[in-house]
Amino acid sequence: MANVTSKTGRKPHAKKAAAQHGAGLQTAFQQVRELIVHGKLSPGMWIVEADLAQRLGMSRTPVRGALQWLQREGYVIEQKNVSKSRMIVAPLTKEDSSELYAIVGHLEGLAGRRTAQLPKEKRMEIVRQLRKLNTGLKSISRDQTGRAGDIFDLDTTFHSTVVKASAGPRLMALYNAVKPQTERYWRLYASSIINDLHNSVTEHEEIIDAIQEGDPDRVEAALQLNWSNGSQRLGKVIDLFGERGTW
Amino acid sequence: MANVTSKTGRKPHAKKAAAQHGAGLQTAFQQVRELIVHGKLSPGMWIVEADLAQRLGMSRTPVRGALQWLQREGYVIEQKNVSKSRMIVAPLTKEDSSELYAIVGHLEGLAGRRTAQLPKEKRMEIVRQLRKLNTGLKSISRDQTGRAGDIFDLDTTFHSTVVKASAGPRLMALYNAVKPQTERYWRLYASSIINDLHNSVTEHEEIIDAIQEGDPDRVEAALQLNWSNGSQRLGKVIDLFGERGTW
DNA sequence: GTCTACCACATTGGATACATTCTTGTCTTT
DNA sequence: AAAGACAAGAATGTATCCAATGTGGTAGAC
């Protein structure tokens, strides 16, 4: 009865390296997210686990974990009409962008409210950083020289600075889950957003002033206005160029 | 090459039922969440996948998926000091409750803002439902007869009604991910929360009036106030009875 | 010629096997 | 006696295997 193949029976599982130990899920998540954000996986496209696994050179297990993660964050959604779970890349629609921007605006508003209540010295340090970043944006908007990626990085750092200054782990995690999704819309409609950059720069100045003054209500309102206006600017562009992933 | 064991070769994988096909993950998620919310898995407790799998009568695969889900939602967190990912049940702390309530308040405020902008007829329908629910809460608060579970259900339905009325899929998903976490604090400190119920009832009335009037700012402010006050009430109780899962 | 039924295939969900890493306990040495 | 090192065990991460289900295509019948 008792088989003796306890220690020595090892032939079927020969593989290459496995990198580290717990690196697979992380890499899978980042790489698939990258593929989605850069549009290699188009909005509305049907995702096949095995294909992704092969492309990333790993088995389906970590890919599945990554997909569940991406589903929770909103990058992929389930096709609901069928009983079986078919995952598709989340479409980019005007409706969704409006909702997404509103959510980010409110989360950031909450963080900004807390940032405004920090002691004065910390606020001044934040303000200094923000002014520097916004100056960079302003010069780009004046010269029209920066590439879209630079603008996105500066803008992302600007907002991230406001949030990181005061957010606890829970808000930070939520923000990090939601905010990066705006990148999809950014990349797709970037060229048209650049033209409106000066508006955003002006709105940023109001944000900075409000933080310097330490007025929570004003900070929150300014942040929400920035996102609300951004949503409207984006909406116009989407109307022009059409949505992706729905038909 | 071609083996003929396509249909008939079934010996090594004999098991009981497997329920449906894609039911395991759902069940695992709900059950583990239940265990956490009800405190069977205490805050701070170290979670072992295999134990849970055995307890739920399934393999580690669906349990693992459920845990990743629960991690993203905040029910479990990673022990960070070690390199390996050790999952523990998220502790219940005053700090965390404060953050959680603020987030829910802001998300609900956003939804409420949209609800306030619905056409008048729909608003009136909502208002009617809300008044009925709040009347139920008021009578419980007066008679001190309801059990904690009833109060929680009524309160949850109240807030959920406001959100569902106008939230899109994204906001709805986020709300459904975040709001249920307040149940953990509710259950743990429920007995003391009941005493303050009349305050919450009064705040609800303001919410209802604001919706009836169709004033987005007022609705949002009223919702946030309800959650902010709730956070303070909870904070006092936590100070009294201590936190769970930290030492 | 078209519609329906059935079969083969593709894909996902779940289970298990295996390799790696972290922990813990004991033994030895200073 | 205390501290460190080594060994045994436990737990996680990943790969592969099996089952279940939906989908599409083909063939047959009306």
Side-chain angles (χ1 to χ4, degrees):
Chain A
M1 274 307 188
N3 58 13
V4 253
T5 62
S6 60
K7 285 252 179 71
T8 53
R10 56 180 60 175
K11 66 248 136 155
H13 277 267
K15 67 207 133 182
K16 49 195 85 168
Q20 305 252 113
H21 193 58
L25 205 148
Q26 288 276 335
T27 24
F29 175 78
Q30 289 174 345
Q31 298 227 4
V32 177
R33 182 188 171 281
E34 194 97 342
L35 288 174
I36 291 176
V37 168
H38 284 61
K40 310 288 186 193
L41 291 171
S42 298
M45 203 177 195
W46 175 28
I47 296 178
V48 178
E49 288 179 1
D51 293 353
L52 273 178
Q54 187 170 21
R55 168 157 188 156
L56 301 184
M58 51 181 68
S59 94
R60 275 175 53 211
T61 308
V63 173
R64 266 174 67 181
L67 283 180
Q68 282 174 344
W69 234 35
L70 289 161
Q71 182 188 351
R72 268 264 335 118
E73 304 214 337
Y75 290 96
V76 304
I77 59 178
E78 277 190 47
Q79 196 76 298
K80 18 186 175 294
N81 58 359
V82 290
S83 69
K84 195 159 198 171
S85 97
R86 276 247 191 105
M87 297 239 210
I88 65 171
V89 181
L92 298 177
T93 70
K94 189 180 176 186
E95 180 64 27
D96 179 65
S97 75
S98 163
E99 214 181 354
L100 175 62
Y101 272 57
I103 292 171
V104 176
H106 272 246
L107 290 179
E108 230 174 64
L110 170 55
R113 173 176 288 276
R114 295 198 170 188
T115 298
Q117 291 168 331
L118 291 173
K120 188 165 185 176
E121 295 173 12
K122 292 202 177 177
R123 288 209 320 273
M124 290 308 143
E125 172 62 18
I126 306 288
V127 165
R128 206 182 53 72
Q129 295 176 26
L130 294 181
R131 282 203 200 286
K132 190 170 177 184
L133 292 164
N134 206 35
T135 302
L137 281 172
K138 183 183 260 181
S139 74
I140 291 179
S141 112
R142 204 170 28 223
D143 309 348
Q144 299 278 342
T145 55
R147 282 165 306 117
D150 299 337
I151 302 176
F152 181 78
D153 287 345
L154 280 172
D155 191 72
T156 297
T157 308
F158 181 93
H159 290 276
S160 171
T161 302
V162 176
V163 176
K164 257 192 271 191
S166 64
R170 199 180 268 274
L171 181 54
M172 203 66 222
L174 203 51
Y175 184 77
N176 285 333
V178 177
K179 162 70 171 62
Q181 295 183 66
T182 61
E183 185 177 358
R184 296 184 71 201
Y185 289 98
W186 251 87
R187 289 200 171 268
L188 191 50
Y189 302 104
S191 54
S192 313
I193 291 179
I194 299 179
N195 298 330
D196 287 330
L197 185 57
H198 61 283
N199 290 318
S200 196
V201 170
T202 307
E203 289 155 18
H204 285 180
E205 281 169 358
E206 165 68 6
I207 295 169
I208 298 174
D209 289 348
I211 292 178
Q212 182 163 24
E213 202 180 303
D215 182 341
D217 290 332
R218 202 176 142 203
V219 173
E220 180 170 14
L223 281 166
Q224 286 191 16
L225 185 65
N226 186 219
W227 283 101
S228 161
N229 287 344
S231 175
Q232 289 203 334
R233 292 193 282 268
L234 178 62
K236 280 187 202 150
V237 184
I238 294 179
D239 280 339
L240 272 174
F241 291 93
E243 303 181 335
R244 303 297 174 91
T246 52
W247 73 100
Chain B
M1 270 311 188
N3 58 12
V4 252
T5 63
S6 60
K7 285 249 179 73
T8 55
R10 52 180 60 172
K11 64 256 140 149
H13 277 264
K15 41 83 217 255
K16 47 197 85 167
Q20 308 254 113
H21 192 59
L25 205 148
Q26 289 272 334
T27 349
F29 175 77
Q30 288 175 347
Q31 298 227 359
V32 177
R33 182 187 171 282
E34 194 96 343
L35 287 173
I36 292 176
V37 168
H38 285 62
K40 310 288 185 190
L41 292 170
S42 297
M45 202 176 194
W46 175 28
I47 296 178
V48 178
E49 287 178 358
D51 292 353
L52 272 179
Q54 188 169 21
R55 166 155 191 159
L56 301 184
M58 51 180 70
S59 93
R60 276 175 52 211
T61 308
V63 172
R64 167 177 285 267
L67 283 179
Q68 282 173 345
W69 234 38
L70 289 160
Q71 181 187 351
R72 291 243 29 92
E73 303 213 341
Y75 290 96
V76 304
I77 59 178
E78 278 190 46
Q79 196 75 296
K80 17 188 177 297
N81 58 1
V82 289
S83 67
K84 196 162 201 170
S85 100
R86 276 262 188 92
M87 298 232 204
I88 66 170
V89 180
L92 296 177
T93 70
K94 189 180 176 184
E95 179 66 24
D96 178 65
S97 75
S98 163
E99 213 180 355
L100 175 62
Y101 272 55
I103 292 171
V104 176
H106 273 246
L107 291 179
E108 230 174 66
L110 169 56
R113 172 176 289 277
R114 296 197 168 188
T115 298
Q117 291 167 333
L118 290 174
K120 188 165 184 177
E121 296 172 12
K122 293 203 176 178
R123 289 210 317 274
M124 288 310 141
E125 173 60 19
I126 306 289
V127 164
R128 206 182 53 73
Q129 295 176 26
L130 294 181
R131 282 204 200 286
K132 190 173 177 185
L133 291 165
N134 206 35
T135 302
L137 283 172
K138 185 182 259 181
S139 75
I140 291 180
S141 113
R142 205 172 25 223
D143 307 348
Q144 300 278 341
T145 55
R147 279 167 305 118
D150 300 337
I151 301 176
F152 180 78
D153 287 344
L154 280 172
D155 191 72
T156 297
T157 308
F158 182 93
H159 290 277
S160 173
T161 301
V162 176
V163 175
K164 260 194 264 188
S166 64
R170 199 181 267 276
L171 181 53
M172 203 66 222
L174 203 52
Y175 183 76
N176 284 333
V178 177
K179 161 69 170 63
Q181 295 182 65
T182 60
E183 186 178 357
R184 297 184 70 203
Y185 289 98
W186 251 87
R187 290 201 170 268
L188 191 50
Y189 302 104
S191 54
S192 312
I193 291 179
I194 299 179
N195 299 330
D196 288 330
L197 184 56
H198 60 282
N199 290 319
S200 196
V201 170
T202 307
E203 288 155 18
H204 285 182
E205 282 169 358
E206 164 69 7
I207 295 169
I208 298 174
D209 290 348
I211 292 177
Q212 183 162 23
E213 201 179 308
D215 182 341
D217 289 333
R218 200 175 143 205
V219 173
E220 180 170 13
L223 281 166
Q224 286 191 16
L225 185 65
N226 185 218
W227 282 103
S228 160
N229 287 344
S231 175
Q232 290 202 333
R233 293 192 281 267
L234 178 61
K236 280 187 201 150
V237 184
I238 295 180
D239 280 340
L240 270 174
F241 291 93
E243 302 181 337
R244 302 296 173 92
T246 50
W247 73 96

